[in-house]
Amino acid sequence: MRELTRAEEQVMQVLWKIKKGFVKDILEHFDDPKPAYNTVSTIVRILQDKGFVTHKAYGRTHEYYPLVTKSDYSKSHLKTFVNDYFSNSFEKMVSFFAKEKSISVKEMEEIMKIMENEVKKQKPLR
Amino acid sequence: MRELTRAEEQVMQVLWKIKKGFVKDILEHFDDPKPAYNTVSTIVRILQDKGFVTHKAYGRTHEYYPLVTKSDYSKSHLKTFVNDYFSNSFEKMVSFFAKEKSISVKEMEEIMKIMENEVKKQKPLR
DNA sequence: CTTGCTTAACTAATTATTTCGTTGTATATT
DNA sequence: AATATACAACGAAATAATTAGTTAAGCAAG
C-alpha cells in the first residue's frame, strides 16, 4: 500500500472520522489556521488518484468517501514498522513496548480478556 | 522528536546496524543500485544537524555514530502511531493487531512469559 | 437574462527532500 | 616536490510535496 504524506494523512484522518463529506466539511475539521479550500480540494483529488478515496457526484459537487479504511491503513503501516524495527516480529514489538510502558502481567491479562471476548463474540456467528 | 524522511531513515537503519561507520561503510550496506557517495555524505550531515548522529574526526575523515538509538526512535514513532490510530491506547492497538494476526490466547501467554522473564532478569539488579 | 456565489479542475508558486557534481584540502604515493 | 587519491563541504539540479491562485462551469437570486 502507498504511504500517505503528512498532508494526505491529515485529510484521511478527517475523512475516517466523518465517514464522508464535501471539501468544506473536511476543511471544517482542520484546526486553525485552516488551510485554503483549494489546498484540501487538491489533496483529496490526489488521494483519489492514489485510490484512497472515491466520490459520489451531486451535480458538480463531490462527496468524498474513504476507500481504504483506517484499519487497513494502520495494518499496513504497522506491518512496515514492525518489519523495519522489530525484524518482523509482532511479539518482540509487543514485549518491548509493554516493558517500555511498564505494563504489568496483570494488565496484559486484561488485554487477553478483551481478546477472549472478541473471540467469543465472533465464534457463534461463524 | 523530529521525523526522519525516507532517505534519512535508510541511513539511520544502516548506522543502527553497523553501530558506527564512515560514509563508505554506510554506502556498502545499501542495496544496488547504491546511491552516490555524496548522497550518503549529505544525508549523514543532515542527520547530524537534526541531532540524530554525531561523528568522531580522524584527521579529515569522519566516523559517524547514532546519537538517537533505534529504540528511542521506534518508541517515538509508535507513540505517534498509537496516538493517531488508536486514540493513544496501547492496549487497543495490541488487541487489534493480535486479533488481526490471529494470535491466540496461548500465543499471548507466550509473550507474557517473555515479559515475565524480562521482569525477573531486572528485579535482582535493582 | 445577468450577477454573484460555489465548486472542481487546472496550474503556478513555494517549500521540502533527494541526488550528485564540483571544489578544495589533506594525505598517500611515486 | 608532483601527482594521484580520498574525503568533507558546498551548492546546484532534480524531484516530490504542499499550498493556494485562477479559471470555468453550474446554479441561485433577482
Side-chain angles (χ1 to χ4, degrees):
Chain A
M1 187 180 300
R2 291 283 287 285
E3 286 275 314
L4 296 171
T5 65
R6 218 189 292 291
E8 288 164 5
E9 187 176 353
Q10 280 174 23
V11 169
M12 284 308 292
Q13 287 284 2
V14 172
L15 267 181
W16 283 325
K17 189 174 182 177
I18 67 181
K19 307 288 199 302
K20 64 181 180 181
F22 300 91
V23 172
K24 68 170 167 40
D25 301 321
I26 298 169
L27 188 58
E28 266 171 22
H29 285 79
F30 271 80
D31 292 335
D32 294 313
K34 297 188 198 303
Y37 179 98
N38 286 336
T39 302
V40 175
S41 170
T42 300
I43 292 170
V44 107
R45 244 168 316 105
I46 291 169
L47 284 167
Q48 197 169 235
D49 292 344
K50 285 191 172 182
F52 278 85
V53 312
T54 187
H55 74 265
K56 191 174 169 188
Y58 293 95
R60 244 181 63 78
T61 84
H62 297 179
E63 190 172 34
Y64 293 93
Y65 299 83
L67 267 184
V68 173
T69 65
K70 192 172 175 178
S71 287
D72 285 342
Y73 187 70
S74 58
K75 247 178 268 178
S76 155
H77 187 77
L78 192 75
K79 194 169 168 296
T80 302
F81 173 74
V82 169
N83 184 54
D84 292 349
Y85 288 88
F86 292 92
S87 50
N88 224 16
S89 164
F90 180 74
E91 291 79 357
K92 269 186 206 157
M93 189 277 281
V94 172
S95 58
F96 176 80
F97 283 98
K99 202 171 46 158
E100 230 359 272
K101 282 179 52 81
S102 313
I103 282 182
S104 65
V105 171
K106 200 181 275 175
E107 286 166 299
M108 280 298 272
E109 280 167 356
E110 279 302 315
I111 294 172
M112 282 174 60
K113 265 185 211 155
I114 293 167
M115 285 174 58
E116 279 167 16
N117 282 334
E118 275 160 358
V119 170
K120 272 183 205 153
K121 264 186 251 162
Q122 291 185 350
K123 273 283 170 52
L125 302 172
R126 303 192 171 192
Chain B
M1 185 179 302
R2 292 280 289 287
E3 286 274 315
L4 295 172
T5 65
R6 216 185 296 288
E8 288 164 4
E9 187 177 354
Q10 280 173 23
V11 169
M12 285 307 293
Q13 288 284 2
V14 173
L15 268 180
W16 283 324
K17 189 173 182 181
I18 68 181
K19 306 288 196 305
K20 64 181 179 181
F22 300 91
V23 172
K24 68 171 166 41
D25 300 322
I26 298 170
L27 188 57
E28 267 171 21
H29 284 78
F30 271 80
D31 291 334
D32 293 312
K34 297 189 197 304
Y37 179 99
N38 286 337
T39 303
V40 174
S41 170
T42 300
I43 291 169
V44 107
R45 245 170 312 107
I46 291 168
L47 285 167
Q48 197 170 234
D49 291 345
K50 286 192 171 182
F52 278 86
V53 312
T54 187
H55 74 265
K56 191 175 167 187
Y58 292 95
R60 245 180 62 78
T61 83
H62 297 179
E63 190 173 33
Y64 293 94
Y65 299 83
L67 268 185
V68 174
T69 65
K70 192 172 175 178
S71 287
D72 285 344
Y73 187 70
S74 59
K75 249 179 262 177
S76 156
H77 187 78
L78 192 75
K79 195 169 168 294
T80 303
F81 173 74
V82 168
N83 184 55
D84 293 348
Y85 288 88
F86 292 92
S87 49
N88 223 16
S89 164
F90 180 74
E91 291 79 355
K92 269 185 206 157
M93 189 277 280
V94 172
S95 58
F96 175 79
F97 282 99
K99 200 170 47 155
E100 230 359 272
K101 281 178 54 75
S102 312
I103 283 183
S104 64
V105 171
K106 200 179 278 178
E107 285 166 302
M108 279 299 270
E109 279 166 356
E110 279 302 315
I111 295 172
M112 282 174 62
K113 264 183 212 156
I114 293 167
M115 285 174 59
E116 278 167 18
N117 282 335
E118 275 158 359
V119 169
K120 271 182 206 155
K121 263 184 254 163
Q122 290 185 350
K123 272 284 169 54
L125 302 172
R126 307 195 167 190

